[in-house]
Amino acid sequence: MSRDYIMQPLRPPVEVHIDYARELNPQQHAAVTAPPGPALVIAGAGSGKTRTLTFRVAYLLEQGIPPDRILLLTFTNKAAGEMMRRVTELLGQAQPLLWGGTFHSIGARILRTHAEVLGFQRDFTILDRDDARDLVKACVTEAGIDVKAAKFPKPDVLVEIFSLAGNTHRTITELIDAQYGYFAEHLEKIDLLAKKYVARKKAANSMDFDDLLQLWLKLLQEHAEIREHYQRRFQFILVDEYQDTNKLQSDLIDLLAARSKNVMVVGDDAQSIYAWRGANFLNIIKFPDRYPGSKIYKIETNYRSTPEILELANAVIAGNSRQFAKELAPARPTGPKPALVACTDTTQQSAFIAQRIGELHEEGTSLNEIAVLYRSHFHALELQLEFTRRQIPFTITSGIRFFEQAHIKDATAYLKFVANPRDEISFKRLVQLMPGIAAKGADKLWAAYQSRLPQAPGELTEAPPGLALPSAGPASIATALQACAKSVPAKAAVAWAQWEATIAQLEAPAVRKSPAKMLQLVLDAGYEDYLKANFDNYSSRLDDLEQLAVFAKDLGTVEDFLTQLALLTNVEAEDDKRASADEPRIRLSTIHQAKGLEFGVVFVIMLCDGLFPSHRAMEGGEGEEEERRLFYVAVTRAKDELYLSYPFMRGGFGDAGDTMQTPSRFINEIPRELINELNLRANYY
């Protein structure tokens, strides 16, 4: 079958007889039985991509291709395990010689064999994220860099910068210019640290997760004999989810396939949604250019969704100019049209969803079959509150639970401390954000603060040294903090003074009565700078906090706001218990987290311009098309029913009041005959 079998002759075909024409639809069959040569398989949502790949492996083995001459690359261990399981099931026997796994696992396997030529020993250690951070921290110490400098990135952020630079084949300078401009003043030091980090890893015989790809590529590029060995070994290369590959992964594939050209990549350009973490959309779009004569196979029969949902999905993605044109075709019978729900505000949007879910449940739909999808974490805050009030069980699969994220807990700790000056946990959390203060230092400062803590609102146990108690009016928390200044380490003196000033501002009656104003002041008083220095995704975290402030506007006093947060956090903490008890519950998820999943009923919420599409994502030249692909991914998660909703009014950040929202441009691109419009706003006028 292949044009180039050099290492060994064909083996006898695997003894299994699969009727491919019966098991596969015509489009799948064409891809599975494709002749040798480069092939791009565009597999639409719900079209049986995994089935196509596993049958392709079986077909190659049936043709006598030795299993150790086939390389199957995936993105997750789960996907790799599932494909290997299906191949075993299909063939009736395991294939231990088949090279199948994630990019990183295959890279590690090859590097273990050839580590010496790169200056490593075969027993090299693979660093996890925490290990990498600690090693970078050691590099910072060795370099004698003043980490107290304004906005200097913390080790976690430096690790992310080094990782992203390597995976996108950009220099540190190029990456800082493109994505981290606020670190420009530290560019020379960051570049120095990157070099030190590489040297320290080598000296410790260690590789981090990114090295498993970067050094694999270096090995192939710089050592011709090794490169030729693997080019001859891997006579057929299959790649899953190709639209999610970055530049580094694409280069690895191209280099391995340079001799045989027998590479089949499977993916869907319409579901390329990970540019923010380095995925390169051009890899799949330009595959035919890099492989002249390649064949393109389209798999367009969708087994997931009703015809009505697919019509809308096809209309949604039609707005993108850079794509492989395809038309999802239904295999299922007709169903209801998707609904477009116009709401007065986010409160009404949440009430509608909760009510409709109740109706669906009464009609027999399991809560496990219902999902609410959104662009960003904060879009679902009001909905979580509504579900909690109505005792509707839900689980959150948007990564780390919203209220457990570090930046949310940091910001709310300011409010908790002002609301309750005896809150030891919040006090210690906040002081440990300062340079030079760890757990023991926080304990000492808490003891010093306690001795000056007001015994009742407005009363201090003693006057601060050199100061007299005010003759009238209450003493403040800030005054007690000021009295502790001499106990603060020198490294933290400036940060402590800033904290005193911030607490004094938060205590002011005009601010103290509004949790929204308090959160805004926390950001303005320096926490935004802290986000920049400590988190690589600072802009999305800033969005979270700004929208938390908007959310707080409708929750009354600081105490009311903190009570609601505690209730929501407690609900989230119960998720694992619910899961273990197999209690049916609604899925709340960002769209990115929901990719690859499917649900009977899907609600896509907050479809307003600036929210979805995100205003930050739109800042890049390719932003709108990726956001449209994200919307396409959202609507193609639905099997039976789809609801699209947006509010006309929404609270504004800071001093801005309620603001009129513009419906998402993606909604306006949908032909009206494809949807049922429900205008709840009309009921209010």
Side-chain angles (χ1 to χ4, degrees):
M1 178 186 177
S2 174
R3 299 172 300 192
D4 187 12
Y5 297 106
I6 295 172
M7 298 193 69
Q8 64 184 75
L10 290 177
R11 295 177 180 176
V14 172
E15 289 298 325
V16 63
H17 302 287
I18 300 172
D19 188 342
Y20 293 97
R22 187 185 69 180
E23 295 290 337
L24 304 167
N25 68 39
Q27 291 180 327
Q28 292 172 336
H29 184 265
V32 165
T33 60
L40 170 61
V41 180
I42 301 297
S47 65
K49 168 180 64 65
T50 302
R51 183 177 181 81
T52 301
L53 269 173
T54 52
F55 271 83
R56 175 65 172 175
V57 173
Y59 180 76
L60 292 174
L61 293 172
E62 269 197 10
Q63 302 305 304
I65 307 301
D68 60 343
R69 300 298 177 257
I70 300 172
L71 175 63
L72 173 60
L73 291 167
T74 67
F75 271 86
T76 66
N77 290 321
K78 181 179 178 182
E82 174 64 13
M83 288 194 186
M84 299 297 277
R85 183 192 67 78
R86 289 199 193 186
V87 169
T88 298
E89 191 176 84
L90 202 55
L91 299 176
Q93 59 186 19
Q95 297 294 326
L97 298 180
L98 176 66
W99 282 61
T102 65
F103 279 88
H104 293 87
S105 67
I106 298 298
R109 182 175 176 180
I110 290 174
L111 288 169
R112 290 286 183 202
T113 304
H114 306 284
E116 288 92 342
V117 302
L118 294 174
F120 291 84
Q121 300 302 309
R122 292 190 181 188
D123 61 350
F124 63 82
T125 301
I126 299 175
L127 305 176
D128 63 21
R129 184 75 177 204
D130 288 342
D131 296 332
R133 180 197 60 210
D134 291 344
L135 191 56
V136 168
K137 188 175 181 180
C139 293
V140 172
T141 301
E142 179 190 350
I145 293 174
D146 180 12
V147 294
K148 294 184 291 181
K151 300 180 187 176
F152 193 83
K154 297 299 186 289
D156 276 328
V157 180
L158 289 169
V159 169
E160 186 64 25
I161 289 172
F162 301 159
S163 172
L164 196 54
N167 283 308
T168 57
H169 279 197
R170 286 185 285 182
T171 65
I172 295 295
T173 300
E174 289 169 341
L175 186 65
I176 295 293
D177 287 345
Q179 293 181 229
Y180 297 90
Y182 42 88
F183 291 145
E185 62 184 297
H186 304 301
L187 175 58
E188 187 175 332
K189 293 177 181 177
I190 294 172
D191 198 41
L192 171 66
L193 288 172
K195 293 180 174 64
K196 283 186 173 292
Y197 178 53
V198 170
R200 289 288 289 261
K201 283 187 293 183
K202 197 165 189 178
N205 193 35
S206 299
M207 298 183 190
D208 64 22
F209 205 56
D210 298 305
D211 289 329
L212 299 179
L213 301 188
Q214 293 174 26
L215 293 179
W216 179 14
L217 181 61
K218 178 183 175 69
L219 180 74
L220 298 180
Q221 289 175 330
E222 297 181 359
H223 300 275
E225 290 184 6
I226 295 173
R227 177 173 66 248
E228 185 173 347
H229 170 78
Y230 286 104
Q231 287 175 341
R232 291 173 181 271
R233 170 178 285 279
F234 298 133
Q235 296 165 356
F236 284 87
I237 300 171
L238 307 175
V239 186
D240 186 26
E241 300 287 7
Y242 186 68
Q243 77 282 345
D244 294 335
T245 54
N246 59 36
K247 183 66 167 62
L248 177 57
Q249 290 160 332
S250 175
D251 286 353
L252 274 167
I253 295 162
D254 291 350
L255 197 54
L256 288 170
R259 183 181 184 88
S260 72
K261 305 295 184 185
N262 292 330
V263 56
M264 176 178 282
V265 299
V266 181
D268 183 4
D269 57 297
Q271 296 187 70
S272 179
I273 58 173
Y274 294 114
W276 52 276
R277 69 182 189 195
N280 191 338
F281 176 67
L282 295 180
N283 288 347
I284 192 167
I285 288 294
K286 293 192 172 183
F287 182 87
D289 298 333
R290 297 201 316 280
Y291 290 86
S294 59
K295 297 187 181 301
I296 300 176
Y297 300 90
K298 296 180 182 179
I299 304 178
E300 299 167 296
T301 301
N302 176 287
Y303 295 93
R304 176 186 299 156
S305 307
T306 62
E308 290 76 10
I309 292 172
L310 294 183
E311 277 192 277
L312 184 141
N314 288 330
V316 164
I317 202 62
N320 274 8
S321 59
R322 304 185 75 183
Q323 62 172 309
F324 293 101
K326 63 180 176 299
E327 193 83 6
L328 293 180
R332 293 188 54 202
T334 189
K337 285 184 179 181
L340 176 61
V341 187
C343 303
T344 301
D345 52 26
T346 54
T347 299
Q348 189 184 44
Q349 178 179 245
S350 299
F352 165 76
I353 293 170
Q355 179 180 334
R356 181 59 188 138
I357 285 173
E359 294 168 353
L360 288 164
H361 190 48
E362 289 180 2
E363 294 166 5
T365 302
S366 170
L367 295 183
N368 286 334
E369 275 293 304
I370 301 173
V372 181
L373 306 181
Y374 36 83
R375 176 63 180 82
S376 298
H377 295 291
F378 62 81
H379 292 176
L381 286 176
E382 290 88 348
L383 190 60
Q384 291 181 51
L385 186 59
E386 185 69 21
F387 283 177
T388 303
R389 287 170 179 158
R390 298 195 186 208
Q391 296 184 315
I392 297 175
F394 65 92
T395 186
I396 302 169
T397 55
S398 302
I400 299 173
R401 295 182 178 113
F402 185 85
F403 295 107
E404 292 179 358
Q405 295 177 104
H407 60 298
I408 301 296
K409 295 185 76 171
D410 288 347
T412 54
Y414 280 91
L415 277 63
K416 289 179 180 179
F417 182 55
V418 171
N420 174 17
R422 292 166 177 75
D423 185 342
E424 179 181 356
I425 300 300
S426 294
F427 175 93
K428 290 181 176 178
R429 182 180 189 90
L430 293 171
V431 299
Q432 288 184 76
L433 297 179
M434 302 176 194
I437 300 179
K440 288 185 179 179
D443 289 340
K444 292 178 181 178
L445 287 167
W446 173 250
Y449 167 74
Q450 271 191 309
S451 69
R452 296 166 172 83
L453 190 63
Q455 296 302 299
E459 293 183 5
L460 288 175
T461 56
E462 60 181 277
L467 296 175
L469 285 173
S471 57
S476 68
I477 304 169
T479 304
L481 295 177
Q482 185 182 18
C484 302
K486 291 184 178 179
S487 302
V488 177
K491 287 183 179 180
V494 174
W496 185 274
Q498 173 64 60
W499 188 41
E500 287 175 20
T502 300
I503 295 299
Q505 291 175 297
L506 292 172
E507 288 186 288
V511 177
R512 172 71 169 74
K513 67 182 180 181
S514 169
K517 287 184 178 179
M518 293 177 77
L519 287 167
Q520 181 182 354
L521 192 147
V522 168
L523 289 174
D524 293 343
Y527 191 72
E528 183 175 349
D529 289 337
Y530 178 85
L531 287 177
K532 289 178 179 179
N534 285 272
F535 302 107
D536 62 282
N537 60 340
Y538 111 88
S539 60
S540 64
R541 292 177 186 259
L542 179 60
D543 275 342
D544 286 346
L545 290 171
E546 289 179 350
Q547 296 311 313
L548 183 63
V550 172
F551 177 62
K553 285 185 175 181
D554 296 326
L555 294 182
T557 66
V558 173
E559 289 74 19
D560 292 336
F561 171 70
L562 294 174
T563 297
Q564 291 297 339
L565 252 61
L567 292 174
L568 289 173
T569 304
N570 185 62
V571 168
E572 292 180 336
E574 292 295 318
D575 285 346
D576 291 339
K577 294 179 182 178
R578 292 173 179 169
S580 62
D582 293 324
E583 177 187 353
R585 58 204 184 282
I586 296 155
R587 184 81 62 97
L588 303 186
S589 177
T590 62
I591 301 164
H592 285 102
Q593 289 283 328
K595 185 175 179 290
L597 304 179
E598 58 182 39
F599 305 92
V601 182
V602 169
F603 295 83
V604 185
I605 66 173
M606 301 299 281
L607 285 162
C608 307
D609 253 22
L611 296 178
F612 195 178
S614 158
H615 71 92
R616 293 193 191 279
M618 297 291 285
E619 292 172 357
E622 300 288 334
E624 181 171 329
E625 295 220 343
E626 174 143 337
E627 290 289 286
R628 190 177 283 106
R629 293 193 293 270
L630 190 61
F631 185 41
Y632 175 82
V633 168
V635 301
T636 54
R637 300 311 93 200
K639 296 189 291 186
D640 305 314
E641 295 187 35
L642 175 65
Y643 297 84
L644 311 174
S645 67
Y646 64 94
F648 274 97
M649 300 295 297
R650 181 170 160 268
F653 177 64
D655 295 329
D658 288 352
T659 56
M660 186 77 74
Q661 299 297 298
T662 302
S664 171
R665 65 195 66 189
F666 303 148
I667 288 177
N668 295 328
E669 294 171 354
I670 301 171
R672 284 306 183 257
E673 64 270 17
L674 300 184
I675 53 177
N676 281 327
E677 296 191 64
L678 179 59
N679 187 1
L680 300 184
R681 181 173 179 250
N683 297 334
Y684 285 72
Y685 292 89

